[in-house]
Amino acid sequence: MGKAGKGTGSFGKRRNKTHTLCRRCGSRSYHIQKSTCSSCGYPAARIRKYNWSVKAIRRKTTGTGRMRYLKTVNRRFKNGFREGVTAPAKHATPSA
């Protein structure tokens, strides 16, 4: 098996998981003993984000997911957030 370094011979001994799935971000970054997520910072209230890693911010930012709510806000803003009424006619109907 070789010497007890960090190389090939030692990889057979690695069988404990330090990280498991995170409830907030879903990545396998939740450290079990520390009980914090190394990706999103859960259970901290604020999402983990650092300006020294611009590319990581770009991967996680608004617009990279489904945007289930925000997707419709722009259209509703254009119409003044009206609800429960029919849209007014675009063209005046010619009365004969």
Side-chain angles (χ1 to χ4, degrees):
M1 193 156 107
K3 300 184 193 77
K6 287 192 277 184
T8 312
S10 298
F11 275 89
K13 299 186 187 304
R14 300 188 182 192
R15 59 180 191 83
N16 296 329
K17 286 186 188 165
T18 51
H19 294 89
T20 187
L21 292 178
C22 173
R23 295 162 70 172
R24 181 157 69 186
C25 66
S27 64
R28 189 169 163 270
S29 307
Y30 187 78
H31 197 285
I32 299 167
Q33 285 188 330
K34 288 184 190 175
S35 34
T36 44
C37 177
S38 57
S39 180
C40 72
Y42 180 83
R46 297 181 184 198
I47 294 279
R48 175 183 173 275
K49 175 178 85 74
Y50 294 105
N51 287 333
W52 46 256
S53 182
V54 179
K55 198 183 279 188
I57 296 174
R58 201 187 310 147
R59 288 189 201 112
K60 299 176 183 184
T61 192
T62 314
T64 56
R66 284 174 60 183
M67 296 208 316
R68 283 172 284 192
Y69 172 74
L70 266 181
K71 196 174 357 184
T72 63
V73 170
N74 201 21
R75 170 175 48 83
R76 293 187 306 131
F77 167 75
K78 191 175 66 178
N79 298 318
F81 296 100
R82 61 173 180 226
E83 286 183 348
V85 292
T86 55
K90 289 184 181 177
H91 306 290
T93 53
S95 52

